[in-house]
């Protein structure tokens, strides 16, 4: 595996683990806001992000590359409202999508077809990730300042498998 690709994939591992850290921080915040369903949703999301990181980790090793774990930035710890936390989650997913697309561009330029193939999974996953994040934002917008509605949204989010 070319060094350029290895470095870029290592960066992406860091971003995916940071995503896990960010969503776990959101989960803790939501728990404190007495929204256990929303907190659970974010906790599951955090675990998925760690799996995303591991997919790239495995790919690097399978290709004879080397993983270098870097330090993680501290995530935000509090938000002004549950809606603002979910808005930040959407912004973050848009940022991750851009990062995946940049990797696709790099792998194409470097003619690394195996990495391109691995990245296709992420391209599809990001469509789903953004759609879910958008749906959550819309749900929270609709129930802003309606405690009863907020309770219903929390119950709905608790259903995530
Ligand atoms: Fe791994 Fe939510 O992107």
């Amino acid at each position: 595996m070319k060094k350029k690709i290895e470095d870029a994939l290592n960066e992406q591992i860091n971003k995916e683990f940071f995503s896990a850290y960010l969503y776990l921080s959101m989960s803790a915040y939501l728990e404190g806001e007495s929204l256990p369903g929303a907190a659970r949703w974010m906790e599951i999301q955090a675990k998925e992000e760690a799996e995303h990181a591991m997919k790239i980790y495995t790919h690097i090793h399978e290709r004879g590359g080397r993983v270098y774990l870097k330090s993680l930035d501290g995530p935000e710890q509090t938000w002004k409202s549950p809606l603002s936390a979910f808005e930040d989650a959407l912004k973050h997913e848009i940022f991750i999508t851009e990062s995946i697309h940049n990797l696709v561009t790099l792998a194409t330029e470097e003619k690394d077809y195996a990495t391109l193939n691995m990245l296709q999974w992420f391209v599809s996953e990001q469509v789903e990730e953004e759609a879910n994040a958008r749906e959550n934002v819309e749900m929270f917008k609709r129930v802003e300042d309606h405690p009863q509605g907020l309770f219903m949204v929390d119950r709905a989010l608790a259903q995530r498998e």
Side-chain angles (χ1 to χ4, degrees):
M1 154 175 289
K2 288 187 184 160
K3 183 87 184 99
K4 236 180 175 177
I5 299 276
E6 186 187 87
D7 287 347
L9 290 178
N10 270 299
E11 279 299 327
Q12 191 64 31
I13 288 179
N14 186 268
K15 285 178 189 162
E16 299 292 344
F17 275 128
F18 175 77
S19 304
Y21 218 33
L22 175 65
Y23 295 148
L24 201 54
S25 185
M26 287 178 177
S27 180
Y29 160 75
L30 293 162
E31 200 71 65
E33 294 295 297
S34 303
L35 292 168
R40 181 185 141 81
W41 195 97
M42 278 297 181
E43 189 185 324
I44 294 172
Q45 189 60 33
K47 285 180 188 153
E48 277 197 8
E49 297 300 348
E51 285 169 16
H52 294 172
M54 290 311 294
K55 245 182 211 294
I56 302 169
Y57 178 102
T58 303
H59 175 80
I60 293 176
H61 285 152
E62 279 176 350
R63 303 280 314 288
R66 169 76 157 89
V67 168
Y68 296 99
L69 297 179
K70 300 166 201 292
S71 55
L72 290 170
D73 290 334
E76 279 185 58
Q77 301 193 335
T78 192
W79 285 265
K80 70 178 197 302
S81 65
L83 170 62
S84 116
F86 279 89
E87 281 173 337
D88 275 4
L90 173 59
K91 261 189 241 158
H92 185 68
E93 285 305 326
I94 292 169
F95 163 72
I96 293 292
T97 299
E98 205 178 286
S99 178
I100 294 290
H101 291 178
N102 289 339
L103 283 173
V104 169
T105 303
L106 178 68
T108 305
E109 283 166 4
E110 297 296 323
K111 298 187 168 56
D112 186 337
Y113 301 114
T115 294
L116 259 182
N117 193 43
M118 185 272 297
L119 289 171
Q120 281 315 312
W121 182 89
F122 281 89
V123 171
S124 308
E125 176 70 7
Q126 282 312 118
V127 173
E128 206 181 298
E129 294 273 82
E130 279 193 33
N132 291 339
R134 247 179 227 108
E135 193 186 335
N136 288 342
V137 167
E138 288 313 312
M139 276 200 299
F140 276 95
K141 268 189 187 162
R142 261 180 259 136
V143 299
E144 239 192 333
D145 307 321
H146 296 95
Q148 188 62 24
L150 200 56
F151 177 73
M152 302 296 284
V153 165
D154 192 60
R155 290 263 299 260
L157 288 172
Q159 301 308 311
R160 182 171 184 182
E161 296 291 329

